[in-house]
Amino acid sequence: MATFVLVPGTYHGGWWYGPIAEELRGHGHTVHALTLTGVGERNHLLNASINLHTHIEDIVQALDNEEIEDAILVGHSYGGMPITGAADRRPERIASLVYLDSFAPRDGESELDILPADWRQQTLAAAAGNGFAMVPPAFLTAKDARVTSHPLATKLQRIRLTGAHEQVNRRTYVHSSGFEGSPFLATYERLRQDPSWTVESLPIGHDIIRDAPDYLVKLLLAQVS
């Protein structure tokens, strides 16, 4: 049986993966749906010092403390940033990396560096209140009251990679082509030219769990074989 480590995107906690985690457990697998520091049910820990390194460390600690071997490490949206950093720190613990309509950064890049200009402005504006906590947009809170503010510094800090993450041979990227104005298009275009990646594109929106849950379960189960 496999061990899945699921990392959500901005404003979301591990609960976002709930239906998928339940399906995977039903197949006999172990699932750790993580909530990163300062977000979701850990929002009470939010402060100005939480950055990308903090979230990378969250994942590394989960891998180490749970003594996880051959993890299938999954990141959605922003989650692609910290799973890349964790894979660079602990490649020996990871069998497969799955990026769900997300960032897949290169050394020295921050999310803000990768974002198109209009998304950059929105990101900074979301933290205008106190300067360090991004407030979720109204359409997200209307859809799910569990979304919370998110630490801005996770978007600003540039990732430092040694290249060890490339030791993970199995890397899959899923692009949501129905996400209008997607900030992930450049990442998709780059990776689809790279033969070391398996890249798929689906005509769905960004919320893959709502739009294509059956596909996602099938994709994740395929990582086990």
Side-chain angles (χ1 to χ4, degrees), residues 46-171:
L46 179 62
N47 63 71
S49 70
I50 297 171
N51 55 25
L52 178 58
H53 178 78
T54 311
H55 286 174
I56 292 170
E57 190 66 25
D58 285 339
I59 302 169
V60 169
Q61 288 297 319
L63 294 170
D64 288 351
N65 292 331
E66 297 293 336
E67 299 182 334
I68 298 172
E69 304 288 347
D70 298 324
I72 298 170
L73 182 56
V74 182
H76 176 252
S77 195
Y78 158 76
M81 297 292 295
I83 71 166
T84 302
D88 199 66
R89 294 265 306 276
R90 295 293 187 273
E92 71 280 2
R93 290 193 177 273
I94 300 168
S96 177
L97 286 166
V98 181
Y99 292 75
L100 303 175
D101 206 34
S102 65
F103 299 105
R106 293 167 288 193
D107 180 47
E109 290 183 327
S110 69
E111 181 178 312
L112 213 65
D113 293 329
I114 303 169
L115 284 171
D118 56 337
W119 280 88
R120 228 175 280 146
Q121 293 169 0
Q122 291 176 38
T123 297
L124 295 173
N130 61 18
F132 72 84
M134 297 170 58
V135 177
F139 79 88
L140 277 184
T141 55
K143 187 165 65 171
D144 197 316
R146 292 173 293 181
V147 296
T148 66
S149 50
H150 185 102
L152 176 64
T154 64
K155 313 287 187 171
L156 306 180
Q157 187 180 31
R158 292 186 166 95
I159 197 166
R160 296 303 173 193
L161 302 171
T162 67
H165 63 295
E166 296 178 355
Q167 296 173 20
V168 180
N169 292 324
R170 198 165 191 177
R171 288 173 286 168

Side-chain angles (χ1 to χ4, degrees), residues 101-102 116 173 175 177 181-192:
D101 206 34
S102 65
Y173 189 90
H175 170 63
S177 64
S182 171
F184 309 107
L185 185 58
T187 299
Y188 164 66
E189 294 293 349
R190 170 170 60 87
L191 297 182
R192 68 195 291 255

